[in-house]
């Protein structure tokens, strides 16, 4: 599982064109939701913030795992959309680039890394974010 942190909002805005971009916000509903950087709540918050700043956000999609082809290939974007703002890890953003080669992809998150910890006494696994 990938742990993420939000990119700075001004950095996201700096990659968007207020006059030309027609935006769809896409969020992972697995890793980023568990990282508290994605999921439905964060998707709505980012879309509303962009709209408040006069960006043309026409829709949003909550995808179980955008890094997996079988989930992202079912997304049907509005025909006017030319820009995807991704609440996803770098794998999800890369997969969006593959499936939507004609769209501008704007990552809204940064990867922090993944760490799996195995408790040898109970043989249970848990993951932890490396300190970055």
């Amino acid at each position: 599982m990938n742990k993420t942190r939000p990119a700075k909002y001004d950095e996201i805005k700096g990659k968007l064109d207020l006059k030309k971009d027609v935006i769809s916000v896409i969020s992972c509903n697995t890793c980023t939701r568990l990282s508290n950087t994605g999921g439905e709540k964060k998707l709505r918050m980012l879309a509303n913030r962009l709209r408040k700043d006069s960006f043309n956000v026409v829709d949003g999609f909550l995808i179980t795992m955008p890094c997996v082809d079988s989930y992202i290939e079912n997304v049907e974007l509005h025909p006017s959309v030319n820009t995807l703002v991704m609440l996803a890890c770098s794998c999800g953003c890369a997969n969006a680039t593959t499936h939507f080669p004609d769209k501008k992809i704007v990552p809204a998150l940064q990867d922090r890394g993944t760490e799996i910890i195995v408790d040898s006494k109970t043989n249970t696994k848990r993951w932890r974010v490396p300190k970055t």
Side-chain angles (χ1 to χ4, degrees):
M1 198 173 298
N2 246 343
K3 196 77 168 166
T4 54
R5 68 172 144 243
K8 293 180 180 171
Y9 182 68
D10 287 340
E11 290 176 11
I12 298 167
K13 280 183 19 179
K15 295 176 183 175
L16 298 171
D17 186 315
L18 195 60
K19 295 179 181 178
K20 295 180 183 177
D21 289 342
V22 180
I23 301 167
S24 180
V25 179
I26 294 180
S27 179
C28 169
N29 198 34
T30 304
C31 299
T32 67
R33 181 178 49 81
L34 295 172
S35 296
N36 199 31
T37 57
E40 184 175 4
K41 179 181 175 183
K42 298 296 182 177
L43 185 154
R44 290 180 189 274
M45 287 172 61
L46 180 57
N48 287 337
R49 191 167 181 190
L50 289 168
R51 285 183 184 117
K52 184 179 174 186
D53 287 336
S54 301
F55 287 97
N56 186 10
V57 179
V58 296
D59 59 21
F61 292 92
L62 189 61
I63 302 174
T64 303
M65 290 182 284
C67 57
V68 175
D69 290 337
S70 60
Y71 290 112
I72 200 166
E73 65 191 11
N74 292 319
V75 172
E76 293 185 24
L77 299 171
H78 188 276
S80 65
V81 168
N82 61 11
T83 304
L84 305 180
V85 176
M86 301 291 298
L87 286 167
C89 69
S90 58
C91 296
C93 292
N95 207 25
T97 301
T98 300
H99 284 275
F100 305 106
D102 60 329
K103 310 297 182 208
K104 176 166 65 169
I105 307 298
V106 177
L109 302 177
Q110 300 168 345
D111 291 353
R112 290 181 64 189
T114 303
E115 188 171 299
I116 305 291
I117 301 166
V118 179
D119 184 330
S120 59
K121 292 179 183 176
T122 62
N123 200 30
T124 57
K125 296 178 184 178
R126 62 185 172 92
W127 58 279
R128 173 179 75 182
V129 178
K131 293 181 180 179
T132 55

